[in-house]
Amino acid sequence: MVFLNLTLIPKYPKNMRQKHLLSIVLLLVWLSPLMAQTKEVTGKVTDEAAKDLPGVSIVIKGTQRGTTTDANGVYKLAIPEQGPVTITFSFVGYQSQDVSLGGQSTLDITMKPEDKALSEVVVVGYGTQRKKDLTGAISSIGARDVAGRQTIQVSDALQGSIAGVSVTRTSGAPGSGSNILIRGITTIGTNSPLIIVDGVPVSSIDNVNPGDVENITVLKDAASASIYGSRGAAGVILVTTKRAKSGQGSLEYTYEYGVQRATAMPKYVGVQDYMRYFNEQSTNDGASTGPFAQSLINNYLDSNRVSPDRFPNTDWQKSLITRENAPRQRHDLVFTMGTGKIKTKASLGYSSSGAFYDNRSYDRYLFRVNNDLQVNDKIGVNLDVFYKRTANKGNANELPNNDFNPIYEGRVMPPIYDDVYSDGRVAFGKDGRNPLAKLRNGGFTRSLGNQIGGRMSFNYKPVNGLTVTALVAPVFDLDKNKYFSKQIRYTNPDGTPSTVVNQARTVLNEGRSESVSINGQLLANYVKEFGGAHTIDILAGFEENYRSLETLTASRSGFALTDFPYLNSGSTELRDNSGSANASGLHSFFGRLQYNYKSKYFLQGNLRSDLSSRFAAAYRKAVYPSVSAGWTISEESFLKNNPWLSFLKVRGSWGQAGNERLLDKDGNPAYYPYLATIDFSNALFYQNGSVVPLTGGGQQVYAVENITWETSKTLDFGLDAAFLKDRLTISADYYKKTTTDILLPLDIPLYLGYDKPNQNAGTLNVRGWELEGAWRDRVGKLGYSIAANLSDAKSTVGDLKGTEFRGDQIIRNGSQYNEWFGYLSNGLFQTQDQITGAPVLNVTTKPGDVRYVDVNKDGKITTDDKVLLGGALPRYLYGGNLRADYEGFDFGITFQGVAKKLSRLNTDAVQPFAEAFGNMPADMVGKFWRLSNTADQNLAATYPRLSRTSNTANYSLSDYWLIKGGYFRVKNITLGYTLKQDLIKKTGVQSLRFYISANDVLSFSKFPKYLDPESASYSYPIVTTLMAGATIRF
Amino acid sequence: MAVGLSACHTLDLNPLSEASTGTFYSNQTELELAVNDLYRLAFWGNDNELFSDNEWHRGQLTNAVIGGTMNADDAAVQTFWLNAYKAIARANSFLANKDRAKANTPASILLRLEAEIRLIRAYQYSRLVTHFGDVPLLTQPVALEESYSIKRTSKDEILTFVFAELDFATANLPSTYAAADIKRLTKGAALAIKARTALYMGKWDIARDASKAIMALTGTYALNASYPQLFLRAGETSKEMIVSIPRDEKQQVFSVAAYVQDNISRNAGGFGAQLPTRDLLDAYEAIDGKPIDESPLYDPKAPFKNRDPRLTANIVEFNTQWLGYNYTPHPDSLLIFSSKENKKVSNKDTRAVAAFASFTGFLWKKGIDQTWPDRLVEDNDAIIIRYAEILLTYAEAMIELGTIDNTVLDAINQVRARAYGVSATDTKSYPAVTTTNAVALKQILRRERRVEFPREGLRYMDLIRWKLAEKILVKPVIGLPDPAAQSRAKWPFPGVTPLDDDGIADYTGFGTDVKVLAQRSFDKSRQYLWPIPAVEKRVNTNITQNPGY
């Protein structure tokens, strides 16, 4: 741990001093022309639509002398009287132009937009490449595709935007993000890709403000990802943040306000139906009558009118979900300043989202400063600092484990329990369980995350073509949380104190954690062109990662007073604390060799060697090679001047990447999987007649000492083409990925007596393809583009050492990854005759229960009759967008979908009486099997009979509960208008843009209307967000 | 910076907050840690009372045992199995590695720790064979690769092993510990587990000898003078306890509020959901020692009067103050007096007021102390084996062996007399057993076990080993009629419940004067043994399944 050379951490005063110094230098630059013999050239710079371009950088080639255009696009430049002069015009997003100056004193220039399609530069592992030179499967999207999606989290913006990248989410809760998978499943431990921001690995893509993203590149094949070695198997996402460019200077402020609405909400039956059906369940299970008397049910609504406190009728969803519209807002302030030697981009973003119910919110501050300092011709420095603060607030026990979930409570609580008495005091609900009382008086949870990080890199160019880079990037996480859950004392309806309380004691838990992660890199890059035909590009590097974490928690319960959420107020007898720590490290050497002949034939090779602390010394090292090649056919003479085909390249790659990011049995990162660790416990004994605690120790998890890397090999063939002057671009890939030594916590015999460890278990095969296409053009003042992508990946488990059964899904030889595993059903039993002698799961099977198929024909239904029922992962993912701009208007629409998926119907929509007392989904009414139905009605029944005894059997996973889960969704629609500059210029404002936007507007699927296709059971609803905002730019 | 980069941190990182097996078991402290770990409740316990006819839960209605829905994916079965094997694996690991500490641990302590851990391992196998029959027998650490070829060992072979291990523990554990020492497992514990295992498996002579040996440990064990106090805090250090696992709220070992609330009255802030059954109530004799359908002292209008005192010790008597409130489920008692609030309050324990008040009409009293409503915490010690069980085990073994003598009567009478708070010799003060008729004694003994041990988790295995589950666990759960349907003239019970020779109550004659709450089901073709968890067969095809699953 020697990285922390404090002088490397940027300090503002020093930075400011440098700025002063540099302005003096600039002054000198400005003055110097006066001393030589000069003449003046003036002109105006516009874009293709004849719009003035302010801030264009104009430099006399080969010198430091230059200027920029003013707000009207006009410039003045002093040039030497003598000799030929070439002036370079450059501006972000436009092609640079070199113009040789003749004798003229005026020079008007029209800048052409950068030919984005193929000449743009994309970020690759430890470097950049021109897009047309790529030989691997790499996709990238720009700032507009990220920030334009109007999401709080970057991960949400990726949904549907890149072929082969699958983004899933199950909830729209404040602050929630999405899971990202690249090219299907790779392994079990961590299938999430490695995220690299500006060259440095980070824990989450959501640490970055969407507005700060310049572009996102996804390395999909192993040849591209193998330079990241043991962390590259699940793909790599490279995020580049925006940096200031020379000649830029602006201050931009954006405010946006939005409201979120649930896309779907299940409905539940009313109070009389609830009691009726509950009674029916009781009698179905053998009771002579149900708990609710018929007269009570019949008179209930009248009784409720007369005495609502004794005969409550509560719509719990309404009671808890007090807002149909949850607010969301965003402020972004961006300062950009780029001069010759100092370029600074600073952004401060704040966003907050509220929830449908009280006391739940997410607040985030993101601060980032990216500095580029050119010390001299040979030395450049990047100095970045970022700070993130997130505050997740919720009700008592709502976070982090979701032990209290108001959405769940609203759906479970039946109407017979009271939320508030008629005089407004909170009632005791179901024997002290009153979620509304918890919202109002139950306490809170709060977790605060502070992340401070920096990145400093030195670029040194000692000789032409050689760049040496040294980089160090420390990130500190200081998190704290507080979970305060208060006892609530209720009163009886008559106002007297009640014996009912919601929980025995008031409990306070506090936690602190501190983690440090440090990334250091040393890179050498040499680029050389020989004889105008051969280009080589060599990279060699060393990288080191180290992280450590320390946590501390303390708690007390038994608070005499419930308004002081500090440990001191709790009982000294009822207290507890704990702490833990871990560390991990990775050392890596890597290299890359690229060669191309006349930009026609490309060859690339990568090699990386990793050493990880997670494995035993003997199994620690891994080497990942890759090769790739490309042939730009369109450079060949027979195609070179083809009028409609502007670009055609075929490429192929093969490579290896690995995975070391194991998880333990609880889903936390496993840092010492090869060691048999002893977990401590607490056992009680008597001594001198009283109880004393003694520490116990036992090995929980079986240790596989020779556990090592898993390796995935990908073979990829791709094609990139552009037609009609690059207006139409197409890219296609086909790949075959084989993961060997896949790390899975296979089921081990329980009689071994340990929790299952990760093992190098076997092989996983993934085959897939990806298609991306785009069309962009400009017709007069109308510019427009259409882009679409489609991809598929199918994961099949190859030769596996065993099985991993995960609830209702399984991983075993020949199955898909996490394939549904359960019974085959054959409708519902209709009569006792059908049951007599038929194979059944239990002796209690009755008409109205699900009939299962005796697959192994042994005359009974047992767990041996469970079969593979189909893949649970989404297939045929697609997405796309349409964009247009006309005069000051801009319009965009983005869509996304899944063509094929086998989904299980959510519990909250199809199962009655959760927890044995809960409410019943309204959708079941008239659709379940009943003794009182006619035979025909029962034949048409979609739900089994109401029965507690048969509940487990009927709702066991079978194909009965699986539906086609494909969907199509409009992700975002945005309409914006930018005010013409002429109108506002005088006020010093460069531009002013207003926009309205909507996310997750509508969807189509086979799901019932009250179910969102992406939502999980009882989870916070997926939301539609409607937003309006404005950006002002000075 | 380059200098910084070249000076790497090490990659040989060890866990920072845990120990690892590579270095464990190397001294006395670490050996003790390993043994202590196995004194936790996860590795000890009797069966769930809800698996029997003594108790029923209103909300859960049913469980896999009394619902007849047991199958190889049953989560409770898997947990039971896994926890037993976790203890076995840790014991095997201890035994294989304990000699690392040989040099620095006194031999006597090493031997005692070995005896403790072998006892705990034997206890796990005892629980496994009594529930599953044949199971894999592992006596040393097994590598994962070897584990796939393991087969089930016959229960007789395992039983032989278990008895030998318990003999070793008996020989090497002390009878008692000094007060200042940590109270760990004893000679008596080893014998008691042996006696119970033998009884469950029908090895009557072994059961007799082991229980006799405990009875011979003069001064070590005795029945607690008070039956009700035994299950409260006062009884936790009683001489009656042979094996019990301490629990204590301050040490974070307790059952949570929901469990407490299920068991206490609604007036006191509970749910009245986990209930004694009507047939348990009817199993208690009248004070003349006769069953209710034979005794002239029994009056269905006053069912708590003239009954074995254990009835009112275990089940809350109607119209008595309970947890600060008068307890009565009578449908017309809409207000009751509360001694806690010193006034009349609405009676939430009658279904006329609260629809979910006790469905059977009864509440547990046994083991519930007056602090529960305030603390909502249950931290009573878990009683695994107490001396009364040994006395009745001795008696049952002797009866089954056909060697009925005065020691049998004395053993039974000691338990009965204590219920009345008198000495066994004071035969005028309690209904002493005098018959030596084997059939009659067997009935008495079985009834004695039921009324002595409810809520202690022993009834399930009794029903299984007596093969009564197929007769009893198919009877409905009986409750009080709904308030509207309750004939006030027939309060609380419409008549004397007929009982058969097995003590099975028959409520069919009462029509709608009783309410059927739920139907029990028991699949006799398979349920006498539990299913081997499905995962075992999926992982290792050499593992066979019990019939019917």
Side-chain angles (χ1 to χ4, degrees), chain A residues 761-777:
Chain A
T763 314
L764 180 75
N765 297 304
V766 181
R767 275 165 197 272
W769 48 265
E770 285 144 11
L771 271 178
E772 285 182 328
W775 170 268
R776 56 197 109 208
D777 198 7

Side-chain angles (χ1 to χ4, degrees), chain A residues 288 373 488 802 818 1030:
Chain A
S288 35
L373 312 171
I488 301 166
N818 270 6

Side-chain angles (χ1 to χ4, degrees), chain A residues 431 499 505 676 681 686 866, chain B residues 19 21 37 73 249 266 325 381:
Chain A
D431 309 313
T499 48
R505 301 193 190 292
S681 59
Y686 277 102
K866 290 189 175 185
Chain B
T21 48
D37 182 49
D73 277 339
E249 186 192 8
R266 300 179 78 86
Y325 298 84
D381 290 357

Side-chain angles (χ1 to χ4, degrees), chain B residues 41 247 253-260 375-380:
Chain B
L41 211 49
R247 302 197 302 163
V253 182
F254 59 90
S255 299
V256 294
Y259 174 82
V260 173
R375 293 196 297 147
L376 291 183
V377 157
E378 189 236 7
D379 60 357
N380 296 7

Side-chain angles (χ1 to χ4, degrees), chain B residues 12-309:
Chain B
D12 293 315
L13 298 170
N14 279 308
L16 300 173
S17 53
E18 295 99 28
S20 82
T21 48
T23 54
F24 206 54
Y25 308 114
S26 59
N27 56 46
Q28 182 183 336
T29 306
E30 289 177 352
L31 291 183
E32 282 176 353
L33 286 184
V35 179
N36 293 346
D37 182 49
L38 300 181
Y39 275 81
R40 289 183 301 127
L41 211 49
F43 306 118
W44 293 87
N46 301 331
D47 287 295
N48 188 340
E49 196 74 8
L50 289 166
F51 291 171
S52 76
D53 55 344
N54 283 349
E55 189 179 56
W56 184 71
H57 192 291
R58 176 252 300 158
Q60 293 162 8
L61 285 175
T62 185
N63 54 63
V65 173
I66 65 164
T69 55
M70 182 75 91
N71 73 38
D73 277 339
D74 192 275
V77 168
Q78 180 166 323
T79 306
F80 181 99
W81 172 277
L82 179 61
N83 281 345
Y85 276 107
K86 278 186 175 177
I88 290 167
R90 293 180 199 181
N92 287 340
S93 174
F94 173 95
L95 293 169
N97 295 308
K98 66 174 174 20
D99 287 345
R100 285 186 201 164
K102 209 171 183 173
N104 55 32
T105 309
S108 63
I109 287 181
L110 197 59
L111 189 63
R112 194 202 73 220
L113 290 170
E114 180 183 354
E116 283 177 57
I117 214 153
R118 284 171 68 173
L119 189 166
I120 293 167
R121 184 175 64 174
Y123 172 67
Q124 307 303 324
Y125 278 115
S126 162
R127 295 218 294 165
L128 288 168
V129 291
T130 51
H131 288 77
F132 297 94
D134 305 346
V135 298
L137 175 63
L138 309 174
T139 56
Q140 52 198 350
V142 178
L144 182 57
E145 296 72 41
E146 305 159 27
S147 73
Y148 295 117
S149 55
I150 281 166
K151 294 187 169 71
R152 292 166 75 186
T153 304
S154 84
K155 63 176 190 288
D156 291 325
E157 192 180 330
I158 296 174
L159 218 46
T160 310
F161 169 77
V162 166
F163 291 144
E165 290 291 292
L166 292 173
D167 289 344
F168 174 86
T170 307
N172 293 296
L173 288 174
S175 300
T176 54
Y177 292 87
D181 288 342
I182 297 288
K183 193 173 178 302
R184 310 177 74 93
L185 287 167
T186 56
K187 189 188 294 288
L191 287 166
I193 288 162
K194 190 179 180 191
R196 179 191 279 182
T197 308
L199 186 78
Y200 284 0
M201 303 306 285
K203 309 284 181 196
W204 310 118
D205 49 341
I206 298 175
R208 174 198 60 201
D209 295 345
S211 42
K212 208 171 170 179
I214 297 170
M215 289 151 70
L217 291 171
T218 324
T220 309
Y221 300 110
L223 293 179
N224 197 52
S226 158
Y227 177 79
Q229 287 298 313
L230 178 61
F231 309 104
L232 301 175
R233 176 138 295 185
E236 290 184 337
T237 48
S238 161
K239 277 192 163 180
E240 185 163 345
M241 301 301 173
I242 300 177
V243 183
S244 68
I245 304 296
R247 302 197 302 163
D248 191 29
E249 186 192 8
K250 284 180 214 159
Q251 308 298 342
Q252 315 286 334
V253 182
F254 59 90
S255 299
V256 294
Y259 174 82
V260 173
Q261 287 174 305
D262 274 353
N263 279 279
I264 63 177
S265 64
R266 300 179 78 86
N267 281 327
F271 306 150
Q274 189 154 325
L275 311 164
T277 58
R278 171 72 182 276
D279 31 327
L280 174 64
L281 186 89
D282 285 341
Y284 284 89
E285 298 166 353
I287 51 172
D288 56 5
K290 290 180 181 158
I292 55 167
D293 59 342
E294 290 172 21
S295 170
L297 297 175
Y298 175 71
D299 175 6
K301 293 235 165 36
F304 293 92
K305 299 291 172 239
N306 299 328
R307 303 289 293 275
D308 182 329

Side-chain angles (χ1 to χ4, degrees), chain A residues 482 508-510 554-556 559 564-571:
Chain A
K482 192 167 197 132
L508 174 68
N509 267 287
E510 296 223 38
S555 72
R556 281 198 195 181
F559 284 70
F564 300 92
Y566 295 91
L567 290 170
N568 274 348
S569 331
S571 156

